[in-house]
Amino acid sequence: MLFLGLLLLLASVPVSSDEPVVSVPIERFVLDNGMTFLLVDRPESPTVAAGWLAAVGSADDPRDRTGLSHMLEHMMFKGSRTLGDSELDLLYASAGATGLNAVTQLDVTAYFVALPPEKLELWFWLESDRLLDPVFRDFEIEKQIVLEERRLRVEATPTGLFEEVLRRGLWGDDPYGRPGIGLPEDLEKLELKDARKHFETFYGADNLTAVLVGPMDSNRVRLLARRYFGRLSREPVEPRVPLPEPLTTASRIEMACDCRPQARALYRAPSLSSTDGPALEMLVGLLNGRSGRLHKALVLEQEIAFSAYSHYTPLERGGVLSLIAEAKGESEPADLLAALDREIALLLSEPPGEREVQKVRNQLRANAFRRLKDPSQLMLELLLQPGMGEVGRLDSSLSAMESVDGTKLQDMARRYFDPERRIVGFFEREAMGEDL
Amino acid sequence: MKSLVGTLASIVILAGLASSGASAQDLPAHPSQIRFADHILTIPDPGQTTHTLESGTRVVLIPDHAVPLVQIVVALRAGRFLDPASKPGLAELTGALIRRGGSLSRTADALDEAIDYLGAEINTRAGSTRAGASLECLSEALAECLEILFELLTEPGFQADRLESARSNILASLEARNDDPLDVLEREWAWLQSGRQHYSGRQLSRADVEDLSRQDLIAFHRSNWDPRRAVIAVSGDIDPAAVLALLEPLVERWASSIPEPERVSWPPVRAEYEPQPGIYVMRHETVQAKVALGHSVPPGPPWESRQRAALEIANEILAGTTGLISRINSRLRGREGLVYRALSELETDPELPGTFRIFLDAAPENVPRSIDICIEEIERIRKQPVPVAELAVVQEELSSR
């Protein structure tokens, strides 16, 4: 149950008076113990999507205990003083709840489920119970399961181990450079007391945020929140280490794997709280998609790539920007990198026109609604964006995009696609698969 | 089209502090003591949501105004089962190229640009026994997006350079087909069920891909992408009457482009291959084995039958999506820590052969024990009645999805 996904900015924008408006009001309240709640009333939804987050993630793992946050996430499903192992799953299933899961990312750990609206009190009972009195049963068996999960997600995939190498190259000694699921040698030596200590340090009420999306009576939710989660105590958390050391060099790593030859260029990028975020999302939007610059140039015109795209993953203390292309035909990783670099150079030599920029705004605006559509997805969006309670953050994205023009996109590309400060991975095919 | 700039989502934060004064004493000691209101499940009435167009095409319309988006799916009876014996891959390539190859009146580039400018997503594809298109766009741009979708469905351009690009991408995929052990497993599984020649598992060769011509695609589209074989589903921020009014002429035009529709023989021809029970091992350099264990099943009971419901419940009890509490997961994962996941999959159709199988990933040394447990659990559910309490949990879970 680990998913290192994109953290996307939730988009919202001020309203002009003569246009149709969709309003997504978010009600926010804070318990006396510091736990924050966000509620979105969706009267038409057949279920309530409910989740909570602890502001702790793999980047908070001790240096020689990689994988601890994720291991703790697993242990949170092993019962409490009142409930036995897997009773949480059983009680949820009996109540018709679905999608019970959790995710550990670099900065946060989230636990979520969707359940029939009339069963909402069950969520308050079960989630506050496991925060109040968790019992970490069968720790050694769970370690084996996590090792198997590591094989599934990393070691048994064509490129998993190399992605770990590249990440380490990009972040160096910073915690962001360590594998969130843990190194096998660290996992082997994890002990129950490590998980207990991690829980006590980071799962205090003032480090928790809950999000509920669905049909609900907010007065009743406030009452239940107070009664159930009001029992948790505060555990002040020390502020996180400052920004990672900047990357000062360019380097290249060559790897052979059972995969399409490909080139990946990774760059450091600004964090979630950066005002450059919206412009960077637009820059990536300009490069991506069927009519985007990378697909058009590398896939359609030059016919050297199977696919070509860019990613921006903002994190709390930094971010990752990448350019990726997979080869087809006779092309080599070096050809792909050169073609990717040419597209960036082209962008720097001439600013994109207003119509192209407007196209990107239109796409990102439609995407913003796509992310708001499904209650469970909206719940996760609100949950996985640290600091979402701040009005300024919520209002930043789409409105900021209105003022981003072609010249600003050039500035972003010049600043962040810096060929002197990046890690390049060249993936070569190990051997052609036998013809079956 | 109206400018997209001003139409925006507004997120308002109503801040406030919850007042204190919680009393924990009166909380239920166990969740079983919580009193819940009854669960009311409302299923939309098909009579209210289904309409038939002049062409005979059925349209299902479900409004949902939560966000200003519209989703449309066009599903039609076409796919690999219609590939001529000498032209495997034709249905799939045609399906992909309808979206990518432009139209008779606009180039592929112009259409890509127009679709992206609208912030829309349009896709077309063909699978084994089903083909079709999907569209998602802002409700304010619906009319324009529908124009483009039906322009593609009615008069696709199959532009030569886009065909070559798609062809070379398929060839590149052939080269990568042994990279991921999961892909190897899926391919072998299909062969073991229906043999190498049946449409359901047939693999393309380089020559197959190189032989398909633009004329083949045009002919396949004209014979098989017929709105009279289609169902259209529309959901989202819509006014049903307005959508029907938009669809009627577009579908009419599409239908009239195929004056003499072909009849499809249905269900498709069954495979002649007889599956042979056994243990099949494909060696692959990897730290984790992928295991599939099961069998093909004959065309299954009707959708509404009790028997089908019983099959689905049994599948869920074995290793369905309830995860950790299912019989196989509670043993393989919970008790013994042998796997991260095991999943039981039941695919049945009243008219087509299907599959039942349990899928798992495990370290190679744990595979024999894992298989033994799966077989024990399959035997148990075949021979012993399921306890009432266990049955009730799964019934509740399945009916709430």
Side-chain angles (χ1 to χ4, degrees), chain A residues 167-231:
Chain A
R167 216 161 32 236
R168 204 153 51 237
L170 181 69
W171 291 108
D173 210 26
D174 189 85
Y176 281 165
R178 303 176 207 152
I181 199 162
L183 293 165
E185 59 270 29
D186 286 352
L187 288 171
E188 292 289 0
K189 68 184 178 211
L190 284 185
E191 291 180 53
L192 183 62
K193 64 176 193 313
D194 299 321
R196 194 77 225 176
K197 181 164 174 250
H198 211 57
F199 173 78
E200 280 160 9
T201 309
F202 292 108
Y203 279 60
D206 45 344
N207 212 29
L208 305 179
T209 303
V211 178
L212 299 167
V213 180
M216 70 185 75
D217 166 356
S218 95
N219 286 331
R220 185 170 138 74
V221 168
R222 282 172 182 255
L223 181 73
L224 290 170
R226 257 193 331 264
R227 293 179 71 198
Y228 283 97
F229 288 98
R231 300 178 294 170

Side-chain angles (χ1 to χ4, degrees), chain B residues 80-93 170 196-199 201-213 216-217:
Chain B
R80 282 200 300 272
F81 78 102
L82 294 172
D83 280 344
S86 61
K87 294 190 188 302
L90 178 56
E92 257 176 297
L93 191 58
I170 297 176
R196 296 187 179 209
Q197 295 310 316
H198 192 245
Y199 72 85
R202 186 158 173 182
Q203 297 293 309
L204 299 181
S205 68
R206 175 171 280 275
D208 291 336
V209 180
E210 283 167 352
D211 282 351
L212 296 171
S213 72
D216 292 331
L217 271 61

Side-chain angles (χ1 to χ4, degrees), chain A residues 51-305:
Chain A
W52 58 271
L53 160 145
V56 57
S58 307
D60 299 302
D61 293 345
R63 174 178 293 273
D64 57 348
R65 294 282 189 281
T66 60
L68 179 56
S69 291
H70 174 244
M71 184 68 195
L72 173 57
E73 177 224 295
H74 275 237
M75 296 321 292
M76 290 297 287
F77 286 82
K78 306 300 282 182
S80 67
R81 211 178 299 171
T82 316
L83 300 182
D85 189 7
S86 75
E87 216 175 331
L88 179 97
D89 298 69
L90 186 68
L91 286 160
Y92 269 133
S94 316
T98 53
L100 176 67
N101 213 332
V103 43
T104 305
Q105 298 187 334
L106 287 166
D107 300 312
V108 295
T109 310
Y111 301 78
F112 45 86
V113 68
L115 68 176
E118 74 278 2
K119 302 282 172 54
L120 190 55
E121 187 171 351
L122 181 67
W123 177 82
F124 283 94
W125 200 104
L126 291 172
E127 301 303 327
S128 62
D129 177 62
R130 65 167 152 175
L131 280 161
L132 207 58
D133 266 328
V135 177
F136 299 154
R137 297 181 174 90
D138 298 328
F139 191 80
E140 291 304 315
I141 291 180
E142 204 63 31
K143 265 163 65 173
Q144 296 311 308
I145 294 168
V146 169
L147 280 163
E148 208 52 57
E149 185 180 354
R150 178 180 162 82
R151 290 184 198 108
L152 175 78
R153 298 196 192 279
V154 181
E155 295 168 18
T157 66
T159 56
L161 285 168
F162 301 123
E163 281 154 18
E164 287 191 349
V165 172
L166 280 181
R167 216 161 32 236
R168 204 153 51 237
L170 181 69
W171 291 108
D173 210 26
D174 189 85
Y176 281 165
R178 303 176 207 152
I181 199 162
L183 293 165
E185 59 270 29
D186 286 352
L187 288 171
E188 292 289 0
K189 68 184 178 211
L190 284 185
E191 291 180 53
L192 183 62
K193 64 176 193 313
D194 299 321
R196 194 77 225 176
K197 181 164 174 250
H198 211 57
F199 173 78
E200 280 160 9
T201 309
F202 292 108
Y203 279 60
D206 45 344
N207 212 29
L208 305 179
T209 303
V211 178
L212 299 167
V213 180
M216 70 185 75
D217 166 356
S218 95
N219 286 331
R220 185 170 138 74
V221 168
R222 282 172 182 255
L223 181 73
L224 290 170
R226 257 193 331 264
R227 293 179 71 198
Y228 283 97
F229 288 98
R231 300 178 294 170
L232 307 178
S233 54
R234 277 174 193 272
E235 289 298 334
V237 177
E238 285 180 27
R240 284 180 161 133
V241 294
L243 294 181
E245 292 289 317
L247 195 66
T248 52
T249 56
S251 58
R252 199 170 80 199
I253 301 167
E254 291 179 13
M255 294 159 277
C257 56
D258 287 334
C259 60
R260 280 195 190 94
Q262 53 196 284
R264 303 188 186 197
L266 271 59
Y267 307 80
R268 295 274 192 89
S271 74
L272 271 170
S273 58
S274 164
T275 51
D276 282 347
L280 262 176
E281 280 202 63
M282 285 183 65
L283 175 60
V284 167
L286 189 81
L287 299 173
N288 284 346
R290 280 185 195 282
S291 72
R293 291 180 170 218
L294 298 184
H295 182 80
K296 271 178 88 167
L298 276 73
V299 179
L300 295 177
E301 283 159 24
Q302 298 158 34
E303 298 191 62
I304 57 172

Side-chain angles (χ1 to χ4, degrees), chain A residues 295-369:
Chain A
H295 182 80
K296 271 178 88 167
L298 276 73
V299 179
L300 295 177
E301 283 159 24
Q302 298 158 34
E303 298 191 62
I304 57 172
F306 180 82
S307 68
Y309 51 94
S310 174
H311 261 312
Y312 168 44
T313 309
L315 301 164
E316 192 179 316
R317 297 182 299 112
V320 185
L321 190 62
S322 58
L323 294 171
I324 300 171
E326 295 180 285
K328 80 173 165 190
E330 301 301 311
S331 60
E332 306 265 343
D335 306 329
L336 297 171
L337 183 67
L340 290 167
D341 282 343
R342 267 200 306 279
E343 287 310 307
I344 302 303
L346 204 63
L347 175 63
L348 294 180
S349 68
E350 192 176 341
E354 179 51 28
R355 188 179 162 90
E356 190 181 4
V357 177
Q358 186 58 41
K359 177 183 77 180
V360 176
R361 287 190 202 110
N362 295 347
Q363 288 176 302
L364 291 175
R365 178 165 164 268
N367 286 345
F369 287 121

Side-chain angles (χ1 to χ4, degrees), chain B residues 2-323:
Chain B
K2 187 165 57 178
S3 157
L4 293 175
V5 180
T7 317
L8 305 158
S10 143
I11 293 185
V12 184
I13 302 241
L14 310 167
L17 275 174
S19 62
S20 58
S23 159
Q25 279 79 35
D26 49 357
L27 293 180
H30 190 274
S32 57
Q33 295 167 5
I34 308 174
R35 292 280 149 260
F36 298 121
D38 287 341
H39 182 57
I40 301 155
L41 186 65
T42 24
I43 295 163
D45 173 9
Q48 297 293 309
T49 53
T50 308
H51 305 264
T52 306
L53 301 178
E54 287 293 316
S55 60
T57 309
R58 268 185 307 142
V59 182
V60 184
L61 298 142
I62 311 268
D64 171 3
H65 302 288
V67 292
L69 289 173
V70 181
Q71 297 85 34
I72 297 184
V73 173
V74 180
L76 51 86
R77 186 156 281 173
R80 282 200 300 272
F81 78 102
L82 294 172
D83 280 344
S86 61
K87 294 190 188 302
L90 178 56
E92 257 176 297
L93 191 58
T94 306
L97 253 290
I98 289 173
R99 160 66 180 85
R100 290 187 231 162
S103 72
L104 295 185
S105 40
R106 285 193 266 189
T107 65
D109 272 350
L111 279 166
D112 286 348
E113 201 61 42
I115 292 166
D116 281 355
Y117 194 82
L118 291 165
E121 285 175 4
I122 294 180
N123 283 298
T124 60
R125 68 179 289 271
S128 183
T129 54
R130 184 182 140 172
S134 63
L135 159 69
E136 182 173 75
C137 71
L138 291 162
S139 42
E140 69 198 18
L142 179 60
E144 270 177 281
C145 291
L146 281 174
E147 278 293 335
I148 295 177
L149 173 65
F150 283 89
E151 183 177 324
L152 290 168
L153 291 171
T154 306
E155 44 181 42
F158 297 116
Q159 208 171 291
D161 59 338
R162 293 297 183 102
L163 170 59
E164 292 319 311
S165 172
R167 195 196 306 276
S168 61
N169 266 19
I170 297 176
L171 291 174
S173 295
L174 293 186
E175 285 173 7
R177 67 180 158 184
N178 293 335
D179 289 353
D180 192 329
L182 209 51
D183 294 340
V184 176
L185 180 94
E186 293 297 350
R187 178 174 65 231
E188 296 284 338
W189 178 266
W191 283 346
L192 288 168
Q193 302 312 304
S194 3
R196 296 187 179 209
Q197 295 310 316
H198 192 245
Y199 72 85
S200 57
R202 186 158 173 182
Q203 297 293 309
L204 299 181
S205 68
R206 175 171 280 275
D208 291 336
V209 180
E210 283 167 352
D211 282 351
L212 296 171
S213 72
R214 182 167 177 265
Q215 284 312 313
D216 292 331
L217 271 61
I218 292 170
F220 188 89
H221 168 261
R222 193 168 297 144
S223 319
N224 293 301
W225 281 66
D226 180 351
R228 282 157 284 225
R229 282 188 218 165
V231 177
I232 300 176
V234 188
S235 68
D237 183 28
I238 53 163
D239 165 7
V243 172
L244 283 172
L246 285 170
L247 283 176
E248 190 65 78
L250 293 168
V251 176
E252 187 53 42
R253 190 167 151 254
W254 182 13
S256 63
S257 73
I258 308 167
E260 290 170 37
E262 284 192 26
R263 288 194 65 80
V264 181
S265 106
W266 185 263
V269 180
R270 298 270 292 274
E272 285 171 23
Y273 180 87
E274 275 296 317
Q276 303 297 311
I279 297 173
Y280 298 84
V281 180
M282 284 76 68
R283 302 241 170 248
H284 198 283
E285 289 268 327
T286 176
V287 293
Q288 189 177 54
K290 312 282 173 187
V291 181
L293 178 156
H295 51 75
S296 61
V297 293
W303 298 113
E304 305 86 353
S305 67
R306 237 181 132 73
Q307 208 190 347
R308 161 172 291 274
L311 275 173
E312 292 205 9
I313 291 171
N315 183 59
E316 194 68 18
I317 289 172
L318 276 176
T321 52
T322 44

